[in-house]
Every structure is written in structure tokens, then in C-alpha cells.
Amino acid sequence: MFPIKKFLPRSLLGRSLLIIVMPLILLQIVSTWIFYDRHWETITRRLTTAVAGEIASVIENRRTFAGAANEAHILHTAETRLDLRINFKPGAILPNKPYTTGNSILDKMLGNALRERVRRPFHMDTRSHENQVRIQVQLPDGIFDVAVDKERLFSSTTYIFVMWMVGTSLVLFAVAMVFMRNQVRPIRRLANAVENFGKGRDVRDFKPEGATEIRQAAAAFDMMRDRIQRMISQRTDMLAGVSHDLRTPLTRMKLQLAMLEESADIADLKADISEMEKMVEAYLSFARGEGAESVTVSNVSDILAEIVNRMDKKDTDITLQTSGDLSVPLRPNAFRRCVTNLVNNALIYGGNASIQASRTQGAIQITIDDSGPGIPENQREEVFRPFYRLDNARGPDTAGTGLGLAIARDVIRGLGGDLVLENSPTGGTRARMRLPV
Ligand SMILES: Nc1ncnc2c1ncn2[C@@H]1O[C@H](COP(=O)(O)OP(=O)(O)OP(=O)(O)O)[C@@H](O)[C@H]1O
Ligand SMILES: [Mg+2]
């Protein structure tokens, strides 16, 4: 099938203009065709028949009322009353070249009319003169050379009609374009606002405008945005509250334990409490970070370099490679925490980390590879669940809460991007992030 879709406009403005223009052009073609075919042909036939009839009647009169005085009178009347300027060339004979007509409707109709009415050999010339048609008719004693104004044969209204149609439709098109553009603008604004909100960016001074349906959609979006924002802040507030409230009794318990005698049980309890403290700390930092931080354009290379530098001191196996312009709107602290979580995972479970960041079509891609044991394919979504940990993480020196990946994905998705785990070419796990620019 012919791929028409490729040639159709993709934007709403283009499509609505097409919807307006297509019927307009169709209407014009149909009405022009009907006008041309019916009206113009008929008019031209009538006009040419009338002129041919007049010429025939002049010839007839001249034959009937022969004589020099009559002839002068007849030719004079033809000129003054019929607008036929006739020049009689006595004894002349039409050249014997074959009779040819042009292809215009005037040529055809006039030829037919002359053959039908005059019934004598004739030549005609509809082209050489701008405003005149010359007709030469062979008479027994010479040639009648007739000059007729084209106006008498020809209706010029067709051109005027077409010009008016084209002209008015151009005006109509321009007006439609202006109106449609105004109609499309609020939709585009709404689309931009929704897109920005999806990417976690600020949506400032957005207000419903335009047609009722668009206003309705915009108002609905506004309400939805409010609700989502309220939900987010309630969630962070609650998490912060719980974490904060838990810290006080935990501290109290720690103090009480410190005053008890040392024993194996007490040591276990102390370990448990310090683990709980760590968890609470993690929730608190998560809740604190997400809440207030606003999106700013930041350079991903700088943030990555900073993270790597801070870690390098502890002589870890970590490399960083960046290329291209990596400026992107994000929440710097949240993003730092996200990358740190992933790098820590790579270092803890894989033994090393190699970070790469580059710009791709409309996005920035960051990968973090390690050469550890990797994550089984059927667990790669599971590990994103809060508190979900694999067996490899049960060792004593890898005491985590199982929140790292959940937080990381939350941050990236909050910026309109995504985070997935894959096989790394270096044998272990690859965490791949994509951030829309
Ligand atoms: N690079 C990796 N290689 C192998 N396993 C991994 C890797 N990254 C994560 N995992 C597995 O996924 C689980 C979840 O990781 P996540 O970062 O969410 O929690 P955690 O590291 O256990 O704790 P936290 O990061 O909160 O201190 C880990 O316990 C580990 O079993
Ligand atoms: Mg982790």
C-alpha cells in the first residue's frame, strides 16, 4: 500500500489545516469544473452561433440586394449595428492551405458555428490579435474579411470567477490558520506542562485556557498535580516523622543497655539496635532529600567526578568515563544519593565499579558496571523492591537495609527517566540509567 501516512502532517495544526483545506480545494475543483463544462461552454456556443448567424445574414443580404450602393449600405449597417467590421476583397481567393483550428473551446465552437450557418469555405484566426478575431469567408466574387471583437465571442467571467474563488479561499485559509493556531496553542501548553511535570520539573504559571474541552483537561491535570504533590509531601512527612520518633526511644534503649553488664545477649541487642539506627537513618535521609529539593540544571560529569573523588581515597577499584555535554535538569542531592547507592552496590557485591556517561538522542545515559557475580535474570525486578535482598548480601560486612535500589529508581523516575539492571559486558551487573534532557 502507498504510505500516505508519511506525507500527512503530524502536528495538530497541520492536520486541522488539512481538514479545512482539502474540502475547500475539492469544492473549488468541482464547482470550477461544473461552471466550465456547463456554463462557459453554453455561453460560448450561443455567442459564436450569434456572430456566425450575423455574418451569414450579411452575406445573404448582399446576395439578395446586389449593387454597389446596397453593398456600401449593408456593410455600413453591419459595422454600426452589429460591430462587424467587414472588408470586401474583390476577386481574392483564399489560399489553399488546409483549414486548421486551435484547440481552445472558442476555436471549436466558432468553427462549428461557421460551418453550420455560413456554409462556405472560411479561414479564421483567433490568436494573432489580442482583442480581435479575424474571419475570412470565400464568396463567389471575392473574400469577406470580417473583424469581430473578442468580447462578442467570449465570456471573460470564467477567469474572474476562478480568480475570486482562489482569492477568497486564500483569505479563508489565512484566517483559518490564525484561528487554528490560537486553538492549538493551549493544547501545546498543556502538553508541555504535563511533560515537565512527568519529568519532575517545575510547572510554573500554568492556567487553564482555550476551548472548554482543553480547559477541562487542563483543570483535571491541575487537580491531579495537586493531589500527587500532596501525596508525595504527605509520604515524606510521615516517613520523616516516623524515623524521627523512632530515634528517641532507640537512643534511650542504647543508653540503658550501656549501663547493663556485658554479656553475649547484650552484645546482640546492641548490634540489633545499631542496625535499627542505621535503617532509621536511611529512611530519614531518603525522606529529607526528596521533600524540598527543586530541579536545577546540573552537570552530570561534575557530580560523578565528585562522587568518585570522595571514594578514591579509600583505595577502591573505580573508574569514570564521560563524554559530551552532560547538562541536565535534576535534583543534585537526590541524584548524588542515587549514583552513590549504585556505586556502593557495585563495589560491595561486585568488587569494582566502572562508570560511563554519555549523551544519546534526547537523553543522557549513565552505566555502572562491575565484574561480580551478577544478579539472576528473574531477580532483576525483585531487587528494586524495598527491603528485598539476595542471599549474596547476607554476609556480615554487607549489612544494608535493602533500600538502595528502591531509592535510586525512585529518584530517576522522579526525573522522567528510568533505571534498569542488565548483564554487564565485564561479566557482572550493569545498572543503566537514562535521563531525559
Ligand atoms: N551490583 C550488584 N551485584 C550483585 N548483586 C547486587 C548488586 N546490586 C544489588 N544487588 C543485590 O540487590 C539487593 C538489593 O540492593 P539494594 O541496594 O536495594 O539494597 P542493599 O544494598 O542490600 O542495601 P542498602 O543499599 O540499602 O544499604 C542487594 O541486597 C543485593 O543482593
Ligand atoms: Mg545497596
Side-chain angles (χ1 to χ4, degrees):
M1 204 185 78
F2 187 68
I4 293 181
K5 258 192 177 158
K6 261 203 305 205
F7 298 97
L8 291 180
R10 309 196 122 259
S11 72
L12 181 59
L13 181 64
R15 285 182 181 195
S16 27
L17 285 179
L18 193 74
I19 292 173
I20 296 172
V21 167
M22 282 305 275
L24 208 72
I25 292 179
L26 207 71
L27 177 78
Q28 292 212 338
I29 291 175
V30 168
S31 52
T32 310
W33 183 73
I34 288 176
F35 187 86
Y36 188 87
D37 197 52
R38 310 269 153 207
H39 181 77
W40 202 43
E41 218 179 272
T42 313
I43 294 283
T44 309
R45 188 183 311 118
R46 288 193 187 151
L47 290 174
T48 51
T49 311
V51 168
E54 283 162 11
I55 294 174
S57 99
V58 171
I59 293 172
E60 193 64 34
N61 280 341
R62 182 177 167 273
R63 197 164 57 90
T64 315
F65 307 104
N70 283 344
E71 176 162 327
H73 175 69
I74 288 169
L75 294 189
H76 179 72
T77 316
E79 179 158 0
T80 51
R81 303 288 145 96
L82 301 175
D83 276 341
L84 297 175
R85 286 176 298 283
I86 302 176
N87 188 5
F88 180 61
K89 294 175 178 162
I93 291 179
L94 278 180
N96 199 15
K97 63 174 181 197
Y99 171 74
T100 54
T101 50
N103 265 330
S104 79
I105 190 157
L106 174 63
D107 285 301
K108 264 185 232 157
M109 296 280 172
L110 187 58
N112 285 343
L114 288 172
R115 263 189 293 277
E116 203 178 280
R117 298 277 152 135
V118 179
R119 292 187 198 157
R120 282 176 180 284
F122 66 91
H123 279 180
M124 62 184 196
D125 177 3
T126 55
R127 280 147 206 254
S128 312
H129 308 275
E130 182 150 359
N131 302 320
Q132 270 185 0
V133 173
R134 298 290 289 268
I135 303 163
Q136 292 183 316
V137 184
Q138 183 68 65
L139 302 182
D141 53 346
I143 286 181
F144 245 19
D145 188 341
V146 190
V148 195
D149 286 344
K150 265 191 187 163
E151 268 180 6
R152 290 214 46 198
L153 292 163
F154 203 65
S155 156
S156 58
T157 47
T158 306
Y159 293 126
I160 295 171
F161 177 74
V162 173
M163 295 294 260
W164 268 98
M165 289 242 297
V166 173
T168 43
S169 50
L170 282 180
V171 171
L172 201 81
F173 181 68
V175 172
M177 184 128 125
V178 171
F179 275 92
M180 277 321 293
R181 194 177 270 161
N182 284 339
Q183 291 306 304
V184 168
R185 195 177 301 131
I187 300 180
R188 201 177 290 140
R189 283 219 186 115
L190 176 60
N192 280 341
V194 174
E195 194 184 334
N196 277 334
F197 183 64
K199 289 178 181 170
R201 297 174 193 174
D202 264 0
V203 182
R204 275 196 220 98
D205 47 69
F206 171 75
K207 54 182 190 311
E209 58 181 356
T212 325
E213 291 85 349
I214 306 168
R215 268 169 206 269
Q216 205 177 338
F221 161 69
D222 229 22
M223 251 161 63
M224 187 183 78
R225 183 180 57 159
D226 277 355
R227 236 180 54 189
I228 291 177
Q229 265 164 354
R230 218 176 316 126
M231 249 166 64
I232 292 176
S233 67
Q234 269 174 3
R235 189 192 70 168
T236 31
D237 285 354
M238 198 187 78
L239 207 51
V242 168
S243 311
H244 186 264
D245 289 353
L246 277 177
R247 269 210 300 200
T248 325
L250 275 178
T251 317
R252 217 180 302 137
M253 280 162 82
K254 228 166 64 176
L255 284 176
Q256 282 168 345
L257 278 179
M259 286 193 284
L260 292 179
E261 270 173 53
E262 288 286 341
S263 76
D265 287 345
I266 301 283
D268 280 352
L269 274 175
K270 276 183 178 167
D272 282 346
I273 286 178
S274 76
E275 195 175 325
M276 280 170 82
E277 262 182 340
K278 240 197 257 168
M279 286 180 190
V280 169
E281 211 51 56
Y283 305 155
L284 202 57
S285 72
F286 170 51
R288 208 186 291 130
E290 271 292 293
E293 197 177 10
S294 61
V295 174
T296 52
V297 176
S298 325
N299 194 334
V300 168
S301 323
D302 294 348
I303 297 181
L304 294 179
E306 188 195 313
I307 293 171
V308 170
N309 280 341
R310 202 178 292 161
M311 294 194 167
D312 237 352
K313 290 173 200 147
K314 296 181 260 168
D315 94 287
T316 45
D317 185 359
I318 183 167
T319 61
L320 170 65
Q321 212 176 25
T322 59
S323 65
D325 171 26
L326 300 182
S327 296
V328 66
L330 45 77
R331 300 188 178 85
N333 286 330
F335 180 70
R336 209 170 287 138
R337 185 160 46 246
C338 157
V339 174
T340 311
N341 286 350
L342 295 172
V343 170
N344 277 340
N345 280 355
L347 291 175
I348 293 170
Y349 308 110
N352 51 39
S354 102
I355 311 171
Q356 274 176 326
S358 63
R359 201 186 169 118
T360 59
Q361 189 83 48
I364 284 177
Q365 176 165 294
I366 306 165
T367 58
I368 297 168
D369 292 278
D370 65 54
S371 52
I375 300 172
E377 203 157 345
N378 57 354
Q379 302 282 314
R380 282 187 196 150
E381 278 303 309
E382 296 287 295
V383 290
F384 281 105
R385 279 168 42 195
F387 312 112
Y388 191 92
R389 310 188 72 206
L390 298 183
D391 288 339
N392 67 0
R394 302 275 178 231
D397 45 313
T398 59
T401 48
L403 270 178
L405 286 174
I407 293 174
R409 182 174 259 185
D410 201 44
V411 168
I412 294 295
R413 288 196 170 161
L415 294 167
D418 203 6
L419 166 64
V420 290
L421 294 173
E422 299 171 342
N423 280 331
S424 166
T426 57
T429 309
R430 159 175 285 186
R432 187 162 59 82
M433 290 176 255
R434 204 187 50 79
L435 276 177
V437 187

